[in-house]
Amino acid sequence: MTVSPSLKKKLLVAAAAAVVVALAWWGWTGLADSGPGEGFVNGNGRIEATEIDIATKLPGRIEDILVREGDFVAAGQPLARMQLETLEAQRDEALAMRQQAEHSVTAAQAQVALREADVTAALALVGQRESELDAAQRRLTRSSTLSSEGAASIQELDDDRARVRGAQATLAASKAQAAAARAAVEAARAQLVGAQSSVSAATASISRIEADIRDSELRSPRDGRVQVRVAQPGEVLGAGGRVLNLLDLSDVYITFFLPETVAGRVALGSEVRIILDAAPEYVIPATVSFVASAAQFTPKTVETASERQKLMFRVRAQISQELLREHLNQVKTGLPGVAWVKLDAKAEWPQNLSVRVPE
């Protein structure tokens, strides 16, 4: 059988291609990095950080925003201010109400003193009437004795009896006036308590409004970096309206997934080495801070389609705050990378996973 030159050429090309593929496969399997060993496991993930929304406590208009995206901020630093005209007017009104209530307290105190003086005068009058009644009764006793002996007329006896009854009536009226004066004192004291309560209420209103004024200056709750300016000066926001979004650069971690076959061997505090796709020359140390208690399917953005058929456990590795503080300018979130976890505490990290951080 004679083979045509064109077919022979095609067969030679196919054979050469097969040889190239075989050599490439052999080279890849023989030279590729097989990893640090069985005492280690890796998972793909992304760098994340705790996000904080800086939001308004009360509805209002933004007067000014003091920072820009990318700025580093310190805890307690003013970030934005809301307009205060309405709150300041409310505070002035509350101050006026407290002053009015304080005047009412002064007037009520004067009323209490006046009513107490009335009680004193009424009691003195009661004493006087009691003395008059006693004198009238003594006179009546003498008149009765003299009349029985014929030394006094019946008219004088009747007059003395009338004086006693008049003194008794006058005494009763004086006691009623004293009781009324005591009641007036209690009423004046009740008015005083009400006025003092009004002062306390006005003071509380002032404190609340001043707290709202302080809260209208939005401050950073912790050190971080401004990630997004959600609103702009002049915008009107409702209560809880977002103004800024911060990243807490002291709480940076990588979240990755491990298969169920090895997740149970990962202990909290296990050593981790992170290699980011954007900076493969660096190896960042971290420690396992969280292992999910329930398995889940791996998100599509983390593993391949074949890996997603397995149940995976979410793991978080925390980067130390000391290292983060030393390299704040290099910290960025959302970067993909690989996290290597040491399963065997006695295993030694290979040379390619020794710690290398930016200078």
Side-chain angles (χ1 to χ4, degrees):
M1 180 178 176
T2 303
V3 180
S4 65
S6 62
L7 179 59
K8 188 179 295 186
K9 183 178 180 180
K10 291 180 180 178
L11 290 174
L12 290 174
V13 171
V19 171
V20 170
V21 171
L23 290 174
W25 179 85
W26 176 83
W28 182 82
T29 56
L31 301 177
D33 186 5
S34 59
E38 295 184 356
F40 303 85
V41 66
N42 71 316
N44 297 333
R46 291 181 181 275
I47 295 293
E48 301 177 41
T50 297
E51 295 188 12
I52 306 167
D53 285 334
I54 304 300
T56 61
K57 178 182 176 182
L58 301 171
R61 186 184 302 276
I62 301 174
E63 181 174 304
D64 193 14
I65 297 179
L66 308 176
V67 293
R68 297 174 297 178
E69 293 179 354
D71 286 352
F72 288 93
V73 297
Q77 177 180 336
L79 304 179
R81 295 190 181 96
M82 307 296 291
Q83 286 187 353
L84 300 176
E85 285 81 358
T86 301
L87 290 174
E88 288 174 344
Q90 292 177 356
R91 181 185 59 187
D92 293 341
E93 180 183 5
L95 287 170
M97 292 178 63
R98 184 174 68 178
Q99 187 175 15
Q100 182 180 7
E102 289 172 346
H103 291 323
S104 298
V105 167
T106 303
Q109 289 172 338
Q111 282 294 319
V112 169
L114 177 62
R115 298 308 176 188
E116 288 176 344
D118 291 342
V119 169
T120 302
L123 292 176
L125 184 59
V126 167
Q128 179 182 353
R129 300 308 181 195
E130 287 176 343
S131 299
E132 292 174 353
L133 176 60
D134 181 66
Q137 288 174 337
R138 291 176 182 275
R139 184 181 181 89
L140 177 60
T141 300
R142 290 194 297 270
S143 297
S144 298
T145 302
L146 293 173
S147 177
S148 63
E149 295 176 353
S153 64
I154 298 299
Q155 183 62 46
E156 290 179 355
L157 179 61
D158 291 339
D159 292 341
D160 290 339
R161 286 173 178 168
R163 291 190 184 93
V164 169
R165 288 193 293 270
Q168 290 173 338
T170 303
L171 176 60
S174 299
K175 289 182 177 180
Q177 290 177 355
R182 290 192 186 96
V185 169
E186 296 302 322
R189 287 175 177 169
Q191 290 179 351
L192 175 60
V193 172
Q196 291 171 337
S197 299
S198 297
V199 172
S200 299
T203 302
S205 296
I206 293 170
S207 298
R208 174 184 58 79
I209 295 169
E210 288 178 344
D212 290 341
I213 290 175
R214 289 192 298 271
D215 287 336
S216 294
E217 184 176 62
L218 308 183
R219 295 176 175 270
S220 176
R222 61 184 73 178
D223 296 346
R225 185 173 63 205
V226 179
Q227 181 171 243
V228 181
R229 278 178 58 160
V230 182
Q232 299 298 329
E235 293 186 25
V236 177
L237 302 179
R242 295 172 64 211
V243 180
L244 299 166
N245 178 268
L246 299 184
L247 285 178
D248 181 2
L249 298 182
S250 66
D251 186 16
V252 179
Y253 51 87
I254 185 171
T255 299
F256 56 98
F257 292 82
L258 295 177
E260 55 186 338
T261 55
V262 297
R265 298 171 57 191
V266 177
L268 295 179
S270 297
E271 294 183 39
V272 178
R273 296 290 187 267
I274 302 170
I275 301 177
L276 299 177
D277 294 353
E281 68 274 18
Y282 300 124
V283 179
I284 304 169
T287 55
V288 174
S289 60
F290 169 81
V291 179
S293 59
Q296 64 188 70
F297 286 104
T298 308
K300 294 181 180 180
T301 57
V302 176
E303 297 293 347
T304 64
S306 60
E307 291 289 341
R308 290 197 301 274
Q309 305 303 316
K310 303 175 183 179
L311 286 175
M312 308 290 283
F313 283 79
R314 183 165 59 94
V315 182
R316 177 183 294 176
Q318 197 84 22
I319 302 174
S320 70
Q321 294 185 3
E322 292 77 8
L323 181 61
L324 292 170
R325 281 194 290 266
E326 293 175 3
H327 303 88
L328 281 180
N329 292 327
Q330 285 83 20
V331 177
K332 296 178 178 63
T333 58
L335 298 178
V338 178
W340 286 92
V341 183
K342 183 194 287 189
L343 299 178
D344 184 359
K346 298 180 180 179
E348 295 292 335
W349 287 103
Q351 183 64 30
N352 65 327
L353 289 179
S354 59
V355 174
R356 296 189 299 275
V357 296
E359 294 296 332

